Structure formats: C-alpha cells, structure tokens
Amino acid sequence: LIEVENLEKDYPTGAGVFQALRGVSLRIAEGEFVAIMGASGSGKSTFMNLLGCLDRPTRGSYHLDGQDVGRLSSDQLAALRNREIGFVFQGFNLLPKLTALDNVALPLMYAGIGREARRRQAQAMLERVGLGERSHHTPLQLSGGQQQRVAIARALATRPRIIFADEPTGNLDSETSRQVMDLFSQLNREEGITLVLVTHEADIAAYARRCIRFQDGRVIEDVAQAEV
Amino acid sequence: LIEVENLEKDYPTGAGVFQALRGVSLRIAEGEFVAIMGASGSGKSTFMNLLGCLDRPTRGSYHLDGQDVGRLSSDQLAALRNREIGFVFQGFNLLPKLTALDNVALPLMYAGIGREARRRQAQAMLERVGLGERSHHTPLQLSGGQQQRVAIARALATRPRIIFADEPTGNLDSETSRQVMDLFSQLNREEGITLVLVTHEADIAAYARRCIRFQDGRVIEDVAQAEV
Ligand SMILES: Nc1ncnc2c1ncn2[C@@H]1O[C@H](COP(=O)(O)OP(=O)(O)OP(=O)(O)O)[C@@H](O)[C@H]1O
Ligand SMILES: Nc1ncnc2c1ncn2[C@@H]1O[C@H](COP(=O)(O)OP(=O)(O)OP(=O)(O)O)[C@@H](O)[C@H]1O
Ligand SMILES: [Mg+2]
Ligand SMILES: [Mg+2]
C-alpha cells in the first residue's frame, strides 16, 4: 500500500541546507499496525507529513496504492488525502472557532455526508474518545488532552484507509491513553485500517506489530514485534 | 511560599457552570519539587494557571510569599509574574515570528537585562536543552519536541524563584526527557528553585519529592516520595 524509495527532504536554512530525511526506503502493507520511534528532531514528523501527502519529498519516490504521489497535482493530492487518509497532528491543528463537534464533522462534510448523519457520526466518535459531553466546547474550552482527543476523533471520523497519528497520547494520562489505543487497535483489527503511529513511549509502541526507529533522518531499525 | 485555601474555578458554558476546580487547599514550601498527576480534564492546567498568576480564582484564596494574590491589580500581578515565575505551557505558546533565541531572550528583556548579556544567556540555556545549533530557527522550523524545549529554556532563562511546568516532556523521547529532568533537578538542588511539574508519566513524576493527584477538580492524594 505504502512504498517509499530513497526518500529525502531538505529544508533551506540561513546556514545552508538541512537534511531532515536522508534516504528512507521501506514498505507498509495494507492492514499493518506500525509504530515509529526515535529522538526528538530525528525526522519522524517530516516522514509522516510526506506519507500523509501534506508535503512533497525533495528526492526519492512515494507510491501510495500503486500511484506515484510525486506526479499528482495539488488538487489530486488533496482529493487522495480526503478520501484515504486520516491525520492526527502532533500540534492538533484544530479550528479554534469551531466546536469539537464541528471540528470532527469537517472531514465528513468534505466526504459529502449530509448534515444530520455527520453530526451523529461526529458525536459517536467523540463519545468513543470520552468526550461526549464536551462536543459543544471550542478548543479553548478544552484541556490539552481533550484537544488531543478531538484531533484523534476527527482523523477517525471518516474511517479512512490509513491513519497517521503523530504522538497521539503525548498529553494523555495512562487510563485515557489505554482507551485511545484500544480504539486504534479495534479499528485496525475489525476494519483493517492501516495504522502508522509516532510515539516516544515504549508501552504505546507495544500495541503495534512492527517498530521502526529513526535517527538523524534515517531508519536504523525495523523490527516485527508481538503485540502486547 | 505557596498557600492556597478552598481554591475554586468555574467556567461558564452553554449548559450552565462547569466547576473545573472544586476546593483545593494545600501549601508548597520554597525549594520543594512537586509533581502533579491526574486524568485528562481533572483540573491540573487550571490549577497551574492560578498558581502561575495567569488567571484568578472564582472563590478561595492564594497567598504567594505572604501576599494575597487576589488583591493585586493586573499590573502588580504582571510584575510579580515577570520577577518570580517561569511557566512552561502545555501548548508551548512560542511567538511564531521570533527565533528560538529571541523567544528565550524575551523574559530577560523584561527583566531589564542588556542586549549582549541576554543573547549570551539565552544561547547558553538553549545549549543546556540540546538546541544550541537551532537558535536561529523559528518555531515552524523546529520539531514538536524542539519547540517544547524552547518553551522550557524560556521559562528557565531568568532563573525565576518558581517554575511551573505543564507536561514539559510530552513530546520528548526518553533520552531528551532525561536531559530536561536532570536540568530541572539541578536547578532545584543547586539554586533552590521551587518546581511544580504536571506530568502523566510515572517515571517523570519519580524525579520529584512529592506527588499530588487530581481528580474531578479536587486533590485526592498528596504524598511524599523518595526521589529516584
Ligand atoms: N474556558 C473553559 N470553558 C469551559 N470549560 C473549560 C474551560 N477551560 C477548561 N475547561 C474544562 O475544565 C476541565 C479542566 O481542564 P484542565 O485544562 O485544567 O484539565 P487538565 O487536568 O490540565 O487536563 P489535561 O491532562 O488533558 O491537560 C476540563 O474538563 C475542561 O473541559
Ligand atoms: N522548516 C524547517 N526548516 C528547517 N529545519 C526544519 C524545518 N522543519 C523541521 N526542521 C528540522 O528537521 C528536523 C526533523 O524535524 P521533525 O519535525 O521531523 O522531527 P521529529 O522526529 O518529529 O521530532 P519530535 O520528536 O521532536 O517531534 C529537526 O531537527 C528540525 O529542526
Ligand atoms: Mg515530531
Ligand atoms: Mg492540561
């Protein structure tokens, strides 16, 4: 489903070019549950943004479901994203003027779902992350961990084919983290949704069946693991 | 140093009043190193914002170094904050148009420190959190964990009397977390800086000598612990 070859990403800086990704090659099959770990600044979010079609590589290729993503126009890329991908951002990226419900309903609207149905589906997803009673709060009226859970619910709402989650439990206590990870595991197991999850916590990575480790823009380890 | 009595905080919502804090009474002595834990939404950040003089309680009293904080004007509160308090926000709150260096130097400027000296001190603090080579990057040119470390460096730069850190390692891998926690421990041990730190990770809380647990806007546990 996902195939990258010699993927590179450069950022121009005042001091010259910084190579955030220095040649990553790997494959992820449909239905896999993959964890990504590595030091702060090692290139994990940069990699996730490329896989999530939010950015383009400087060099190398990315094939998603057989399509060469580098050859698509911005419009085609946006359509692909809306149809196939759910993304939980490290910084949440919620719309501050919308309620939790409307934030979660937004991708459903882009998918052409009618008003009544998307409100029902958004409310149901908020309940699954424990925020059923907060659906009318805006982001500023929510705690950090509640905002993170709204971002998670929004990514899951359309039941996309692939979910990219960038440190989705960083602001959650252990009980709430477990609730979220059980939800991810269930979607992967029951609906075959492919999951790629960045985390720096080993007990969160343990939910996955494969762990990829980044260091200085490269993959230094890629191991199968028994899910705990 | 810190004395709160029957502290309450209400938030008006469409559905009525939500009580985020429901009567918290406790004391923190100068030089203590305290961890705060509790479920997402239990009131930790609300409590920290009151202690950090960023917000006022709805009911109850807060004495900081003997002064009744509730009786101070906004200007007096701002002056007290700048002089005595460093705050690491759960959402970082960096200024997007300033470099890491200028973000960290900002409180030094408010403290009246001259341009050359504050650039040197800001650079030194960035080096202590491992970002010496990133000082000219703006927040958008930094990873999530790097932004978090800039927020930490900024709170520490003026060597304030008290540091409130709201989930400071949420985006950091274990090695970088250890670096940050060693820095906090050192400042507490060698300079007597009072530390109040919210975390949801037990091995981060283990660096502290006391652990306070919140649930539904109340303190349900307050225990001394041997630092690990
Ligand atoms: N402006 C507001 N209006 C209404 N409710 C609010 C507002 N701000 C916070 N709340 C509510 O107050 C409660 C406590 O929020 P707080 O941010 O203190 O939680 P927290 O313990 O820091 O959680 P987390 O671990 O998720 O960061 C939450 O349930 C939140 O929804
Ligand atoms: N726009 C940019 N300009 C310059 N450098 C950048 C830019 N964006 C990211 N970087 C650098 O690229 C490197 C990788 O960033 P990335 O966000 O992928 O790291 P990460 O592994 O997600 O880290 P974290 O765990 O802290 O979130 C970092 O060292 C960062 O400073
Ligand atoms: Mg990142
Ligand atoms: Mg909080």
Side-chain angles (χ1 to χ4, degrees), chain A residues 101 118-130 132 153:
Chain A
L101 190 73
R118 68 180 182 250
R119 295 200 126 233
R120 246 185 309 110
Q121 291 176 30
Q123 180 66 29
M125 195 52 82
L126 282 169
E127 274 163 31
R128 291 182 78 173
V129 297

Side-chain angles (χ1 to χ4, degrees), chain B residues 7 14 17 20 40 43 55-56 62-63 84 96 100 103 109 142 144 149 197 206 220 222 227:
Chain B
L7 213 60
V17 169
S40 171
D55 196 6
R56 295 179 187 275
Y62 172 25
H63 285 81
E84 311 256 305
N103 263 287
M109 187 173 91
L142 294 171
R149 284 181 276 160
L197 191 146
I220 58 166
D222 188 347
E227 57 195 321

Side-chain angles (χ1 to χ4, degrees), chain A residues 12-13 18 38-41 45 90 134 137 141 143-146 149 167 169-174 176-177 200-201, chain B residues 12-13 18 38-41 45 90 134 137 141 143-146 149 167 169-174 176-177 200-201:
Chain A
T13 70
F18 177 74
S40 172
S45 295
Q90 188 169 7
R134 290 280 183 292
H137 288 229
Q141 298 170 327
S143 75
Q146 291 168 344
R149 284 181 276 160
E167 314 226 24
T169 63
N171 286 281
L172 302 180
D173 57 284
S174 52
T176 315
S177 294
H200 69 258
E201 293 184 62
Chain B
T13 71
F18 177 74
S40 171
S45 295
Q90 189 169 7
R134 289 278 182 292
H137 288 229
Q141 297 170 327
S143 76
Q146 290 167 343
R149 284 181 276 160
E167 315 225 24
T169 63
N171 287 283
L172 303 178
D173 56 282
S174 51
T176 314
S177 294
H200 68 257
E201 293 183 63

Side-chain angles (χ1 to χ4, degrees), chain A residues 14-178:
Chain A
V17 169
F18 177 74
Q19 296 183 294
L21 286 181
R22 303 171 188 221
V24 174
S25 301
L26 54 83
R27 295 181 184 192
I28 297 174
E30 183 133 37
E32 281 202 59
F33 187 166
V34 182
I36 295 182
M37 299 187 82
S40 172
S42 56
K44 306 179 298 294
S45 295
T46 301
F47 183 62
M48 293 279 276
N49 290 341
L50 294 179
L51 290 193
C53 299
L54 297 162
D55 196 7
R56 294 178 188 275
T58 308
R59 266 164 247 111
S61 71
Y62 171 26
H63 285 82
L64 178 58
D65 203 18
Q67 281 197 74
D68 184 347
V69 165
R71 313 198 67 110
L72 298 178
S73 70
S74 293
D75 285 352
Q76 288 171 315
L77 216 55
L80 179 64
R81 247 185 355 249
N82 293 335
R83 220 174 45 238
E84 312 256 303
I85 293 171
F87 206 105
V88 186
F89 294 89
Q90 188 169 7
F92 317 155
N93 293 8
L94 299 179
L95 298 186
K97 297 212 176 95
L98 298 188
T99 61
L101 190 73
D102 289 339
N103 263 289
V104 176
L106 209 55
L108 296 166
M109 185 171 91
Y110 291 143
I113 299 189
R115 195 163 181 278
E116 263 319 295
R118 68 180 182 250
R119 295 200 126 233
R120 246 185 309 110
Q121 291 176 30
Q123 180 66 29
M125 195 52 82
L126 282 169
E127 274 163 31
R128 291 182 78 173
V129 297
L131 292 179
E133 295 174 11
R134 290 280 183 292
S135 50
H136 296 300
H137 288 229
T138 60
L140 275 183
Q141 298 170 327
L142 294 170
S143 75
Q146 291 168 344
Q147 291 173 28
Q148 190 158 34
R149 284 181 276 160
V150 175
I152 291 165
R154 178 180 63 181
L156 305 182
T158 52
R159 296 298 200 293
R161 199 170 174 186
I162 312 170
I163 290 167
F164 296 103
D166 198 345
E167 314 226 24
T169 63
N171 286 281
L172 302 180
D173 57 284
S174 52
E175 184 51 35
T176 315
S177 294
R178 191 163 28 236

Side-chain angles (χ1 to χ4, degrees), chain B residues 19-216:
Chain B
Q19 296 182 293
L21 286 182
R22 304 174 187 219
V24 175
S25 302
L26 54 83
R27 294 180 186 194
I28 299 175
E30 183 133 38
E32 282 202 60
F33 187 166
V34 182
I36 295 180
M37 300 188 81
S40 171
S42 56
K44 308 179 296 294
S45 295
T46 301
F47 182 62
M48 294 279 276
N49 290 341
L50 294 179
L51 289 193
C53 299
L54 296 163
D55 196 6
R56 295 179 187 275
T58 307
R59 266 164 248 108
S61 69
Y62 172 25
H63 285 81
L64 178 60
D65 203 17
Q67 279 198 75
D68 184 347
V69 165
R71 313 197 68 110
L72 300 178
S73 70
S74 293
D75 285 351
Q76 288 172 314
L77 216 56
L80 178 64
R81 256 193 336 258
N82 293 335
R83 221 174 44 239
E84 311 256 305
I85 292 171
F87 206 106
V88 186
F89 293 90
Q90 189 169 7
F92 318 154
N93 291 8
L94 300 177
L95 299 186
K97 297 214 177 95
L98 298 188
T99 61
L101 191 73
D102 288 339
N103 263 287
V104 176
L106 209 54
L108 295 165
M109 187 173 91
Y110 290 142
I113 299 189
R115 196 163 179 280
E116 264 318 295
R118 68 180 182 250
R119 296 201 124 232
R120 247 186 307 109
Q121 290 176 30
Q123 181 66 27
M125 195 52 84
L126 282 169
E127 275 162 30
R128 291 183 76 175
V129 296
L131 292 177
E133 295 173 13
R134 289 278 182 292
S135 49
H136 295 298
H137 288 229
T138 59
L140 275 183
Q141 297 170 327
L142 294 171
S143 76
Q146 290 167 343
Q147 292 174 27
Q148 191 159 33
R149 284 181 276 160
V150 175
I152 291 165
R154 179 181 63 181
L156 304 182
T158 51
R159 296 298 199 294
R161 198 168 172 189
I162 312 171
I163 290 166
F164 295 103
D166 199 345
E167 315 225 24
T169 63
N171 287 283
L172 303 178
D173 56 282
S174 51
E175 183 52 34
T176 314
S177 294
R178 191 165 25 239
Q179 188 177 3
V180 160
M181 292 311 295
D182 285 347
L183 175 55
F184 279 140
S185 299
Q186 182 180 10
L187 290 170
N188 173 250
R189 198 176 49 241
E190 296 179 7
E191 305 191 28
I193 294 180
T194 307
L195 270 178
V196 184
L197 191 146
V198 171
T199 181
H200 68 257
E201 293 183 63
D203 33 9
I204 298 297
Y207 282 79
R209 291 187 294 278
R210 174 181 171 191
C211 190
I212 296 172
R213 184 166 288 276
F214 273 76
Q215 188 178 92
D216 296 327

